[in-house]
Coordinates of all heavy atoms in Angstrom, one line a residue:
M25 N 163.1 13.6 146.0 CA 163.5 12.2 146.1 C 164.4 11.9 144.9 O 165.4 11.2 145.0 CB 162.3 11.3 146.1 CG 162.7 9.9 146.2 SD 161.4 8.6 146.5 CE 159.9 9.3 146.4
L26 N 164.0 12.4 143.7 CA 164.8 12.1 142.5 C 166.1 12.8 142.5 O 167.1 12.3 141.9 CB 164.0 12.5 141.2 CG 162.7 11.6 141.0 CD1 161.9 12.1 139.8 CD2 163.0 10.1 140.9
V27 N 166.3 13.9 143.1 CA 167.5 14.6 143.2 C 168.5 13.8 144.0 O 169.7 13.6 143.7 CB 167.4 16.0 143.8 CG1 168.7 16.6 144.1 CG2 166.6 16.9 142.9
K28 N 168.0 13.2 145.2 CA 168.9 12.4 146.0 C 169.3 11.1 145.3 O 170.3 10.6 145.5 CB 168.1 12.0 147.3 CG 168.0 13.0 148.3 CD 167.3 12.4 149.5 CE 167.5 13.3 150.7 NZ 166.8 12.7 151.9
A29 N 168.5 10.7 144.3 CA 168.8 9.4 143.6 C 169.9 9.6 142.6 O 170.4 8.7 142.0 CB 167.5 8.9 142.9
R30 N 170.3 10.9 142.3 CA 171.3 11.2 141.4 C 171.0 10.7 140.0 O 171.9 10.2 139.3 CB 172.7 10.7 141.9 CG 173.1 11.4 143.2 CD 174.6 11.1 143.5 NE 175.0 11.8 144.7 CZ 175.2 11.3 145.8 NH1 175.2 10.0 146.0 NH2 175.6 12.0 146.9
L31 N 169.8 10.9 139.6 CA 169.4 10.5 138.2 C 169.6 11.7 137.3 O 169.6 12.9 137.8 CB 167.9 10.1 138.2 CG 167.5 8.9 139.0 CD1 166.0 8.7 138.9 CD2 168.2 7.6 138.4
S32 N 169.9 11.5 136.1 CA 170.0 12.6 135.1 C 168.7 13.2 135.0 O 167.6 12.6 135.3 CB 170.6 12.1 133.8 OG 169.6 11.3 133.1
H33 N 168.6 14.4 134.3 CA 167.3 15.0 134.1 C 166.4 14.2 133.3 O 165.2 14.0 133.5 CB 167.6 16.4 133.4 CG 166.3 17.1 133.1 ND1 165.6 17.7 134.1 CD2 165.7 17.4 131.9 CE1 164.5 18.3 133.6 NE2 164.5 18.1 132.3
Q34 N 167.0 13.5 132.2 CA 166.2 12.7 131.4 C 165.7 11.4 132.1 O 164.5 11.0 132.0 CB 167.1 12.2 130.2 CG 166.3 11.3 129.2 CD 167.2 10.8 128.1 OE1 168.3 11.3 127.9 NE2 166.7 9.9 127.3
E35 N 166.5 10.8 133.0 CA 166.1 9.7 133.8 C 165.0 10.1 134.8 O 164.0 9.3 134.9 CB 167.3 9.1 134.5 CG 168.3 8.4 133.6 CD 169.6 8.0 134.3 OE1 170.0 8.7 135.3 OE2 170.2 7.0 134.0
S36 N 165.2 11.3 135.4 CA 164.1 11.7 136.3 C 162.8 11.9 135.6 O 161.8 11.5 136.1 CB 164.6 13.1 136.9 OG 165.7 12.9 137.7
E37 N 162.9 12.5 134.4 CA 161.6 12.7 133.6 C 161.0 11.4 133.3 O 159.8 11.2 133.2 CB 161.9 13.5 132.4 CG 162.1 15.0 132.7 CD 162.3 15.8 131.5 OE1 162.4 15.3 130.3 OE2 162.4 17.1 131.6
E38 N 161.8 10.4 133.0 CA 161.3 9.0 132.6 C 160.6 8.4 133.8 O 159.5 7.8 133.6 CB 162.5 8.1 132.2 CG 162.1 6.8 131.6 CD 163.3 6.0 131.2 OE1 164.4 6.5 130.9 OE2 163.1 4.8 131.1
V39 N 161.1 8.5 135.0 CA 160.5 8.0 136.2 C 159.2 8.7 136.5 O 158.1 8.1 136.7 CB 161.4 8.0 137.4 CG1 160.7 7.6 138.7 CG2 162.6 7.1 137.2
V40 N 159.2 10.0 136.5 CA 158.0 10.8 136.7 C 156.9 10.5 135.7 O 155.8 10.3 136.1 CB 158.4 12.3 136.8 CG1 157.1 13.2 136.8 CG2 159.2 12.6 138.0
A41 N 157.3 10.4 134.5 CA 156.3 10.1 133.4 C 155.7 8.7 133.6 O 154.4 8.6 133.5 CB 156.9 10.2 132.0
A42 N 156.5 7.8 134.0 CA 155.9 6.4 134.3 C 155.0 6.4 135.5 O 153.9 5.8 135.4 CB 157.1 5.5 134.5
V43 N 155.3 7.2 136.5 CA 154.4 7.2 137.7 C 153.1 8.0 137.4 O 152.0 7.6 137.8 CB 155.1 7.8 138.9 CG1 154.2 8.0 140.1 CG2 156.3 6.9 139.3
K44 N 153.2 9.0 136.6 CA 152.0 9.9 136.3 C 151.1 9.3 135.2 O 150.0 9.6 135.1 CB 152.5 11.2 135.9 CG 152.9 12.1 137.0 CD 153.3 13.5 136.4 CE 153.5 14.5 137.4 NZ 153.8 15.9 136.8
A45 N 151.7 8.4 134.4 CA 151.0 7.9 133.2 C 149.6 7.3 133.5 O 148.6 7.6 132.9 CB 151.8 6.9 132.5
D46 N 149.5 6.5 134.5 CA 148.2 5.8 134.8 C 148.2 5.3 136.3 O 148.1 4.1 136.5 CB 148.1 4.6 133.9 CG 146.7 4.0 133.9 OD1 145.7 4.7 134.3 OD2 146.6 2.8 133.5
P47 N 148.2 6.3 137.2 CA 148.2 5.8 138.6 C 146.9 5.2 139.0 O 145.8 5.6 138.5 CB 148.4 7.1 139.4 CG 147.9 8.2 138.5 CD 148.1 7.7 137.1
E48 N 146.9 4.3 139.9 CA 145.8 3.7 140.5 C 145.8 3.9 142.0 O 146.8 3.6 142.7 CB 145.8 2.2 140.2 CG 144.6 1.4 140.8 CD 144.8 -0.1 140.6 OE1 145.6 -0.5 139.8 OE2 144.1 -0.8 141.4
V49 N 144.8 4.6 142.5 CA 144.7 4.8 144.0 C 144.0 3.7 144.6 O 143.0 3.2 144.2 CB 144.0 6.2 144.3 CG1 143.9 6.4 145.8 CG2 144.6 7.3 143.6
V50 N 144.7 3.1 145.7 CA 144.1 2.0 146.4 C 143.9 2.3 147.8 O 144.6 3.2 148.4 CB 145.0 0.7 146.2 CG1 145.1 0.3 144.8 CG2 146.3 0.9 146.8
E51 N 142.9 1.7 148.5 CA 142.7 1.8 149.9 C 143.1 0.6 150.6 O 142.9 -0.5 150.1 CB 141.2 2.1 150.2 CG 140.8 3.5 150.0 CD 139.4 3.7 150.5 OE1 139.1 3.4 151.7 OE2 138.6 4.2 149.8
A52 N 143.8 0.7 151.7 CA 144.3 -0.4 152.4 C 143.7 -0.5 153.9 O 143.3 0.6 154.4 CB 145.8 -0.4 152.5
Q53 N 143.6 -1.6 154.4 CA 143.3 -1.8 155.8 C 144.6 -1.8 156.6 O 145.6 -2.1 156.1 CB 142.6 -3.2 156.0 CG 141.3 -3.4 155.1 CD 140.2 -2.4 155.6 OE1 140.0 -2.2 156.8 NE2 139.5 -1.8 154.6
A54 N 144.5 -1.6 157.9 CA 145.6 -1.6 158.7 C 146.2 -3.0 158.8 O 145.5 -4.0 158.6 CB 145.3 -1.2 160.2
L55 N 147.5 -3.1 158.9 CA 148.1 -4.4 159.1 C 147.6 -5.1 160.4 O 147.4 -4.4 161.4 CB 149.7 -4.3 159.2 CG 150.4 -3.8 157.9 CD1 151.9 -3.6 158.2 CD2 150.2 -4.7 156.8
P56 N 147.5 -6.4 160.4 CA 146.9 -7.0 161.6 C 147.9 -6.9 162.8 O 147.5 -6.8 163.9 CB 146.8 -8.5 161.2 CG 147.4 -8.7 159.9 CD 147.7 -7.3 159.3
T57 N 149.2 -6.8 162.5 CA 150.2 -6.7 163.5 C 151.2 -5.6 163.1 O 151.7 -5.7 161.9 CB 151.0 -8.0 163.8 OG1 150.0 -9.0 164.1 CG2 152.0 -7.9 164.9
P58 N 151.5 -4.6 163.9 CA 152.5 -3.6 163.5 C 153.8 -4.3 163.1 O 154.3 -5.2 163.7 CB 152.7 -2.7 164.7 CG 151.4 -2.9 165.5 CD 151.0 -4.3 165.2
V59 N 154.4 -3.8 162.0 CA 155.7 -4.3 161.5 C 156.8 -3.3 161.7 O 157.9 -3.7 162.1 CB 155.6 -4.6 160.0 CG1 156.9 -5.1 159.4 CG2 154.5 -5.7 159.8
C60 N 156.5 -2.0 161.6 CA 157.6 -1.0 161.7 C 157.3 -0.2 163.0 O 156.3 -0.2 163.6 CB 157.5 0.0 160.5 SG 157.7 -0.8 158.9
R61 N 158.4 0.6 163.4 CA 158.2 1.5 164.5 C 157.3 2.6 164.2 O 156.6 3.1 165.1 CB 159.6 2.0 164.9 CG 160.5 1.0 165.5 CD 161.8 1.6 166.0 NE 162.6 1.9 164.8 CZ 163.7 2.6 164.8 NH1 164.2 3.1 165.9 NH2 164.3 2.9 163.7
D62 N 157.2 3.0 163.0 CA 156.4 4.2 162.6 C 155.1 3.7 161.9 O 155.1 2.9 161.0 CB 157.2 5.0 161.6 CG 156.5 6.3 161.1 OD1 155.3 6.4 161.3 OD2 157.2 7.2 160.6
A63 N 154.0 4.1 162.5 CA 152.7 3.7 162.0 C 152.5 4.1 160.5 O 151.8 3.4 159.8 CB 151.6 4.3 162.9
D64 N 153.0 5.2 160.1 CA 152.9 5.7 158.7 C 153.6 4.7 157.8 O 153.1 4.4 156.7 CB 153.5 7.1 158.5 CG 152.6 8.1 159.1 OD1 151.4 7.9 159.3 OD2 153.1 9.3 159.3
D65 N 154.7 4.1 158.2 CA 155.4 3.1 157.4 C 154.5 1.8 157.3 O 154.5 1.2 156.2 CB 156.8 2.7 158.0 CG 157.8 3.9 158.0 OD1 157.5 4.9 157.3 OD2 158.8 3.8 158.7
D66 N 153.9 1.5 158.4 CA 152.9 0.3 158.3 C 151.8 0.6 157.3 O 151.4 -0.3 156.6 CB 152.3 0.0 159.7 CG 153.3 -0.8 160.6 OD1 154.3 -1.4 160.0 OD2 153.0 -0.9 161.8
S67 N 151.4 1.8 157.2 CA 150.3 2.2 156.2 C 150.8 2.0 154.8 O 150.1 1.5 154.0 CB 149.9 3.7 156.4 OG 149.3 3.9 157.7
V68 N 152.1 2.3 154.6 CA 152.6 2.1 153.2 C 152.7 0.6 152.9 O 152.4 0.2 151.8 CB 154.0 2.8 153.1 CG1 154.7 2.4 151.8 CG2 153.9 4.3 153.2
L69 N 153.2 -0.2 153.9 CA 153.2 -1.6 153.7 C 151.9 -2.2 153.5 O 151.7 -3.1 152.6 CB 154.0 -2.3 154.8 CG 155.4 -1.9 155.0 CD1 156.0 -2.6 156.3 CD2 156.2 -2.3 153.8
A70 N 150.9 -1.7 154.2 CA 149.5 -2.2 154.0 C 149.0 -1.9 152.7 O 148.3 -2.7 152.0 CB 148.6 -1.6 155.1
T71 N 149.3 -0.7 152.2 CA 148.9 -0.3 150.8 C 149.6 -1.2 149.8 O 148.9 -1.6 148.8 CB 149.3 1.2 150.5 OG1 148.6 2.0 151.6 CG2 148.8 1.6 149.2
A72 N 150.8 -1.6 150.0 CA 151.5 -2.5 149.1 C 150.9 -3.8 149.0 O 150.8 -4.5 148.0 CB 153.0 -2.6 149.5
L73 N 150.3 -4.3 150.2 CA 149.7 -5.6 150.2 C 148.4 -5.6 149.2 O 148.1 -6.6 148.6 CB 149.3 -6.0 151.6 CG 150.4 -6.4 152.5 CD1 149.9 -6.7 153.9 CD2 151.1 -7.6 152.0
V74 N 147.7 -4.4 149.2 CA 146.6 -4.3 148.4 C 146.9 -4.1 146.9 O 146.4 -4.7 146.0 CB 145.6 -3.2 148.9 CG1 144.5 -2.9 147.9 CG2 145.1 -3.5 150.3
A75 N 147.9 -3.2 146.7 CA 148.3 -2.8 145.3 C 149.1 -3.9 144.6 O 149.1 -3.9 143.4 CB 149.2 -1.5 145.4
K76 N 149.8 -4.7 145.3 CA 150.6 -5.8 144.8 C 151.5 -5.3 143.7 O 151.6 -5.8 142.6 CB 149.7 -6.9 144.2 CG 148.8 -7.6 145.3 CD 148.1 -8.7 144.7 CE 147.1 -9.4 145.7 NZ 147.1 -9.1 147.1
P77 N 152.4 -4.3 144.1 CA 153.3 -3.8 143.1 C 154.5 -4.8 142.9 O 154.7 -5.7 143.7 CB 153.8 -2.5 143.8 CG 153.8 -2.9 145.2 CD 152.5 -3.7 145.4
D78 N 155.2 -4.6 141.8 CA 156.4 -5.4 141.6 C 157.6 -4.9 142.5 O 158.5 -5.6 142.8 CB 156.9 -5.3 140.1 CG 155.8 -6.0 139.2 OD1 155.5 -7.2 139.5 OD2 155.3 -5.4 138.4
A79 N 157.5 -3.6 142.9 CA 158.5 -3.0 143.7 C 157.9 -1.8 144.5 O 157.0 -1.2 143.9 CB 159.7 -2.6 142.9
L80 N 158.4 -1.6 145.7 CA 158.0 -0.4 146.4 C 159.2 0.5 146.4 O 160.3 0.1 146.7 CB 157.7 -0.8 147.9 CG 157.5 0.3 148.9 CD1 156.4 1.2 148.5 CD2 157.3 -0.3 150.3
V81 N 159.0 1.7 145.9 CA 160.1 2.7 145.7 C 160.0 3.8 146.8 O 159.0 4.4 146.8 CB 160.1 3.3 144.3 CG1 161.3 4.2 144.1 CG2 160.2 2.2 143.3
T82 N 161.0 3.9 147.6 CA 161.0 4.9 148.7 C 162.4 5.3 149.1 O 163.3 4.6 148.9 CB 160.2 4.4 149.9 OG1 160.1 5.4 150.9 CG2 160.9 3.2 150.5
G83 N 162.5 6.5 149.7 CA 163.7 6.9 150.3 C 163.6 6.8 151.8 O 164.6 7.2 152.6
N84 N 162.5 6.2 152.3 CA 162.3 6.1 153.8 C 163.2 5.0 154.4 O 163.0 3.8 154.0 CB 160.8 5.8 154.0 CG 160.5 5.7 155.5 OD1 161.0 4.9 156.2 ND2 159.5 6.5 155.9
K85 N 164.1 5.4 155.3 CA 165.0 4.4 155.9 C 164.3 3.4 156.7 O 164.7 2.2 156.7 CB 166.0 5.2 156.7 CG 167.0 6.0 155.9 CD 168.0 6.8 156.7 CE 168.8 7.7 155.8 NZ 169.6 8.6 156.5
G86 N 163.2 3.7 157.3 CA 162.4 2.8 158.1 C 161.9 1.6 157.3 O 161.7 0.5 157.7
L87 N 161.6 1.9 156.0 CA 161.1 0.9 155.1 C 162.3 0.2 154.4 O 162.2 -1.0 154.2 CB 160.2 1.5 154.0 CG 158.8 2.0 154.5 CD1 158.1 2.8 153.5 CD2 158.0 0.9 155.0
L88 N 163.3 0.9 154.0 CA 164.4 0.4 153.3 C 165.2 -0.7 154.1 O 165.7 -1.6 153.5 CB 165.4 1.5 152.9 CG 164.9 2.4 151.7 CD1 165.8 3.6 151.6 CD2 164.8 1.6 150.4
V89 N 165.2 -0.6 155.4 CA 165.9 -1.6 156.2 C 165.3 -2.9 156.1 O 165.9 -4.0 156.3 CB 166.0 -1.2 157.7 CG1 166.8 0.1 157.9 CG2 164.7 -1.1 158.4
R90 N 164.0 -3.0 155.7 CA 163.3 -4.3 155.6 C 163.8 -5.0 154.3 O 163.7 -6.2 154.2 CB 161.8 -4.1 155.5 CG 161.3 -3.4 156.8 CD 159.8 -3.5 156.9 NE 159.3 -4.8 156.7 CZ 159.3 -5.8 157.6 NH1 159.8 -5.7 158.8 NH2 158.8 -7.0 157.3
A91 N 164.1 -4.3 153.2 CA 164.6 -4.8 151.9 C 163.4 -5.5 151.1 O 163.3 -5.3 149.9 CB 165.7 -5.8 152.1
R92 N 162.5 -6.2 151.8 CA 161.4 -6.8 151.2 C 160.2 -6.9 152.2 O 160.5 -6.9 153.4 CB 161.7 -8.3 150.8 CG 162.7 -8.5 149.8 CD 162.8 -10.0 149.4 NE 162.0 -10.4 148.3 CZ 162.2 -10.0 147.0 NH1 163.1 -9.1 146.8 NH2 161.4 -10.4 146.1
H93 N 159.0 -6.9 151.7 CA 157.8 -7.1 152.5 C 156.9 -8.0 151.8 O 156.4 -7.7 150.7 CB 157.2 -5.8 152.9 CG 156.0 -6.0 153.8 ND1 156.1 -6.4 155.1 CD2 154.7 -5.9 153.6 CE1 154.9 -6.6 155.7 NE2 154.0 -6.3 154.8
E94 N 156.6 -9.2 152.4 CA 155.7 -10.1 151.7 C 156.1 -10.4 150.3 O 155.2 -10.5 149.4 CB 154.2 -9.6 151.8 CG 153.7 -9.4 153.2 CD 153.3 -10.7 153.9 OE1 152.9 -11.6 153.2 OE2 153.4 -10.7 155.1
G95 N 157.4 -10.5 150.0 CA 157.9 -10.8 148.7 C 158.1 -9.6 147.8 O 158.6 -9.8 146.7
T96 N 157.7 -8.4 148.2 CA 157.8 -7.2 147.4 C 159.2 -6.6 147.7 O 159.4 -6.2 148.9 CB 156.7 -6.2 147.6 OG1 155.5 -6.9 147.3 CG2 156.9 -5.0 146.7
P97 N 160.1 -6.4 146.7 CA 161.3 -5.7 147.0 C 161.1 -4.2 147.3 O 160.2 -3.6 146.7 CB 162.1 -5.8 145.7 CG 161.2 -6.2 144.7 CD 160.0 -6.8 145.3
I98 N 161.8 -3.7 148.3 CA 161.8 -2.3 148.6 C 163.0 -1.6 148.1 O 164.1 -2.0 148.5 CB 161.6 -2.1 150.1 CG1 160.3 -2.8 150.6 CG2 161.5 -0.6 150.5 CD1 160.1 -2.8 152.1
L99 N 162.9 -0.7 147.1 CA 164.0 -0.1 146.4 C 164.2 1.3 146.7 O 163.2 2.0 147.0 CB 163.8 -0.3 144.9 CG 163.6 -1.7 144.3 CD1 163.3 -1.5 142.9 CD2 164.7 -2.6 144.6
I100 N 165.5 1.8 146.6 CA 165.7 3.2 146.7 C 165.4 3.8 145.3 O 165.5 3.0 144.3 CB 167.2 3.5 147.1 CG1 168.2 2.9 146.2 CG2 167.4 3.2 148.6 CD1 169.6 3.2 146.5
P101 N 165.1 5.1 145.1 CA 164.8 5.6 143.8 C 165.9 5.3 142.8 O 165.6 5.1 141.6 CB 164.6 7.1 144.1 CG 164.2 7.2 145.5 CD 164.9 6.0 146.2
R102 N 167.1 5.4 143.2 CA 168.2 5.2 142.2 C 168.1 3.8 141.5 O 168.5 3.6 140.4 CB 169.6 5.3 142.9 CG 170.8 5.1 142.1 CD 172.1 5.4 142.8 NE 172.2 4.9 144.1 CZ 172.4 5.6 145.2 NH1 172.5 6.9 145.1 NH2 172.5 5.1 146.4
D103 N 167.6 2.8 142.2 CA 167.5 1.4 141.7 C 166.2 1.2 141.0 O 166.0 0.1 140.3 CB 167.6 0.4 142.8 CG 169.0 0.4 143.4 OD1 170.0 0.9 142.8 OD2 169.1 -0.1 144.6
C104 N 165.3 2.2 141.0 CA 164.0 2.0 140.4 C 164.1 1.9 138.8 O 163.5 1.1 138.2 CB 163.1 3.2 140.8 SG 161.5 3.3 139.9
L105 N 164.8 2.9 138.3 CA 164.9 2.9 136.8 C 165.5 1.7 136.2 O 164.9 1.1 135.2 CB 165.6 4.2 136.4 CG 165.4 4.6 134.9 CD1 164.0 4.8 134.5 CD2 166.2 5.9 134.7
P106 N 166.6 1.2 136.7 CA 167.2 0.0 136.1 C 166.2 -1.2 136.2 O 166.1 -2.0 135.3 CB 168.4 -0.3 136.9 CG 168.8 1.0 137.4 CD 167.5 1.8 137.6
F107 N 165.5 -1.3 137.4 CA 164.5 -2.3 137.6 C 163.4 -2.3 136.6 O 163.0 -3.3 136.0 CB 163.9 -2.1 139.0 CG 163.0 -3.2 139.5 CD1 163.5 -4.4 140.1 CD2 161.7 -3.1 139.4 CE1 162.7 -5.4 140.5 CE2 160.8 -4.1 139.9 CZ 161.3 -5.2 140.4
M108 N 162.9 -1.1 136.3 CA 161.9 -0.9 135.3 C 162.3 -1.2 133.9 O 161.7 -1.9 133.1 CB 161.3 0.5 135.3 CG 160.5 0.9 136.6 SD 160.2 2.6 136.8 CE 159.3 3.0 135.3
R109 N 163.6 -0.8 133.6 CA 164.1 -1.0 132.2 C 164.4 -2.4 131.9 O 164.3 -2.8 130.8 CB 165.4 -0.1 132.1 CG 165.1 1.3 131.9 CD 166.4 2.1 131.7 NE 166.2 3.5 131.4 CZ 167.2 4.4 131.6 NH1 168.4 4.0 132.0 NH2 166.9 5.6 131.3
K110 N 164.7 -3.2 132.9 CA 165.0 -4.6 132.7 C 163.7 -5.4 132.5 O 163.8 -6.6 132.4 CB 165.9 -5.2 133.8 CG 167.3 -4.6 133.8 CD 168.1 -5.2 134.9 CE 169.5 -4.7 134.9 NZ 170.3 -5.1 136.0
G111 N 162.6 -4.7 132.6 CA 161.3 -5.4 132.4 C 160.9 -6.3 133.5 O 160.0 -7.1 133.4
R112 N 161.5 -6.0 134.7 CA 161.2 -6.8 135.9 C 159.9 -6.2 136.6 O 159.4 -6.8 137.5 CB 162.3 -6.9 136.9 CG 163.5 -7.7 136.3 CD 164.5 -7.9 137.4 NE 165.2 -6.7 137.6 CZ 166.4 -6.7 138.3 NH1 166.9 -7.8 138.7 NH2 167.0 -5.5 138.5
A113 N 159.5 -5.0 136.1 CA 158.4 -4.4 136.8 C 157.2 -4.1 135.8 O 157.5 -3.5 134.8 CB 158.8 -3.1 137.4
T114 N 156.1 -4.6 136.1 CA 154.9 -4.2 135.3 C 154.1 -3.3 136.2 O 153.2 -2.6 135.7 CB 154.0 -5.5 135.0 OG1 153.7 -6.1 136.2 CG2 154.8 -6.4 134.0
G115 N 154.4 -3.2 137.4 CA 153.7 -2.2 138.3 C 154.7 -1.8 139.4 O 155.4 -2.6 140.0
A116 N 154.8 -0.5 139.6 CA 155.7 0.0 140.7 C 154.8 0.9 141.6 O 153.9 1.5 141.2 CB 156.8 0.8 140.1
M117 N 155.2 0.8 142.9 CA 154.5 1.6 143.9 C 155.5 2.6 144.4 O 156.6 2.3 144.8 CB 154.0 0.7 145.0 CG 153.2 1.5 146.1 SD 152.6 0.3 147.2 CE 152.6 1.3 148.7
V118 N 155.1 3.9 144.4 CA 155.9 4.9 144.9 C 155.3 5.4 146.3 O 154.2 5.8 146.3 CB 156.1 6.1 144.0 CG1 157.0 7.2 144.5 CG2 156.6 5.6 142.6
A119 N 156.1 5.4 147.3 CA 155.7 5.9 148.6 C 156.2 7.3 148.7 O 157.3 7.6 148.8 CB 156.3 5.1 149.7
F120 N 155.2 8.3 148.7 CA 155.6 9.7 148.7 C 155.7 10.1 150.2 O 154.9 9.8 151.0 CB 154.5 10.5 148.1 CG 154.4 10.3 146.6 CD1 153.5 9.4 146.1 CD2 155.3 10.9 145.7 CE1 153.4 9.2 144.7 CE2 155.3 10.6 144.4 CZ 154.3 9.8 143.9
P121 N 156.8 10.9 150.5 CA 157.0 11.4 151.9 C 155.8 12.2 152.3 O 155.2 12.9 151.5 CB 158.3 12.2 151.8 CG 158.9 11.8 150.5 CD 157.8 11.3 149.6
S122 N 155.5 12.1 153.5 CA 154.4 12.9 154.2 C 153.1 12.7 153.5 O 152.2 13.6 153.4 CB 154.8 14.4 154.2 OG 154.7 15.0 152.9
S123 N 152.8 11.6 152.9 CA 151.6 11.3 152.3 C 151.1 9.8 152.7 O 151.9 8.9 152.7 CB 151.7 11.4 150.8 OG 150.5 10.9 150.2
R124 N 149.9 9.7 152.9 CA 149.4 8.3 153.2 C 148.8 7.7 152.0 O 148.3 6.6 152.1 CB 148.3 8.4 154.3 CG 148.9 8.8 155.6 CD 147.8 8.9 156.7 NE 148.5 9.3 157.9 CZ 148.3 8.6 159.0 NH1 147.5 7.6 159.1 NH2 148.9 9.1 160.1
V125 N 148.9 8.4 150.9 CA 148.4 7.8 149.6 C 149.5 7.3 148.8 O 150.5 8.0 148.6 CB 147.6 8.9 148.8 CG1 147.1 8.3 147.5 CG2 146.5 9.4 149.6
S126 N 149.4 6.1 148.3 CA 150.5 5.5 147.5 C 149.8 5.1 146.2 O 148.6 4.9 146.1 CB 151.1 4.3 148.2 OG 151.7 4.7 149.4
Y127 N 150.6 5.0 145.2 CA 150.1 4.7 143.8 C 150.7 3.5 143.2 O 151.9 3.2 143.5 CB 150.3 5.9 142.9 CG 149.7 7.2 143.3 CD1 150.4 8.0 144.2 CD2 148.4 7.5 143.0 CE1 149.8 9.2 144.6 CE2 147.8 8.6 143.4 CZ 148.5 9.5 144.2 OH 147.9 10.7 144.6
R128 N 149.9 2.7 142.5 CA 150.4 1.6 141.8 C 150.3 2.0 140.3 O 149.3 2.4 139.8 CB 149.6 0.4 142.1 CG 150.0 -0.8 141.3 CD 149.2 -2.0 141.7 NE 149.6 -3.2 140.9 CZ 149.0 -3.6 139.9 NH1 147.9 -3.0 139.4 NH2 149.4 -4.7 139.2
R129 N 151.4 1.8 139.6 CA 151.4 2.1 138.2 C 151.7 0.9 137.3 O 152.6 0.2 137.6 CB 152.5 3.2 138.0 CG 153.0 3.3 136.6 CD 152.0 4.0 135.6 NE 152.6 4.1 134.3 CZ 152.3 3.4 133.3 NH1 151.3 2.6 133.3 NH2 152.9 3.6 132.1
T130 N 150.8 0.6 136.4 CA 151.1 -0.5 135.4 C 151.8 0.1 134.3 O 151.3 1.0 133.6 CB 149.7 -1.1 134.9 OG1 149.0 -1.6 136.1 CG2 150.0 -2.2 134.0
V131 N 153.0 -0.4 134.1 CA 153.9 0.2 133.0 C 153.7 -0.5 131.7 O 153.4 -1.7 131.7 CB 155.4 0.0 133.5 CG1 156.3 0.6 132.4 CG2 155.7 0.6 134.8

């Protein structure tokens, strides 16, 4: 995902370090009504409702077309670092491909 974002090696390391620093694993309930065509995408959104991140970071097009969910911006990885550096994020959630587990990180 970070290669696609076209981040420098240093920027990639900064993002990875921030996500690994203090992850919090959360459990979510299913959404009351499906929102996306893909049930896995709904699982990510349900997790975001519990984690309450400042941003959801993903490369998933099914999520990105929404732009926001329940007030949470959905960002591409390339936009994550500037968002974090501007101090707009105290917690970021990263949706990992092929994983139903998402993490919330307090920066």
Side-chain angles (χ1 to χ4, degrees):
M25 181 175 4
L26 294 176
V27 172
K28 282 183 165 181
R30 294 190 177 112
L31 297 175
S32 71
H33 180 71
Q34 181 180 351
E35 290 170 327
S36 295
E37 286 184 353
E38 187 177 340
V39 171
V40 170
V43 172
K44 285 183 170 182
D46 189 22
E48 177 185 342
V49 179
V50 298
E51 277 190 53
Q53 302 294 320
L55 294 174
T57 305
V59 175
C60 300
R61 290 183 289 169
D62 184 341
D64 287 342
D65 293 347
D66 279 345
S67 294
V68 172
L69 295 177
T71 303
L73 288 176
V74 173
K76 298 188 184 343
D78 295 303
L80 171 60
V81 182
T82 185
N84 181 304
K85 291 178 184 171
L87 292 169
L88 289 167
V89 297
R90 299 193 51 78
R92 295 184 93 66
H93 181 70
E94 300 284 330
T96 301
I98 302 173
L99 306 174
I100 58 174
R102 180 176 42 239
D103 294 340
C104 171
L105 196 56
F107 187 83
M108 289 169 57
R109 284 180 175 162
K110 288 182 181 175
R112 291 190 288 197
T114 56
M117 179 175 150
V118 179
F120 294 97
S122 71
S123 172
R124 291 179 181 232
V125 179
S126 301
Y127 298 91
R128 177 176 179 259
R129 158 74 177 110
T130 301
V131 183

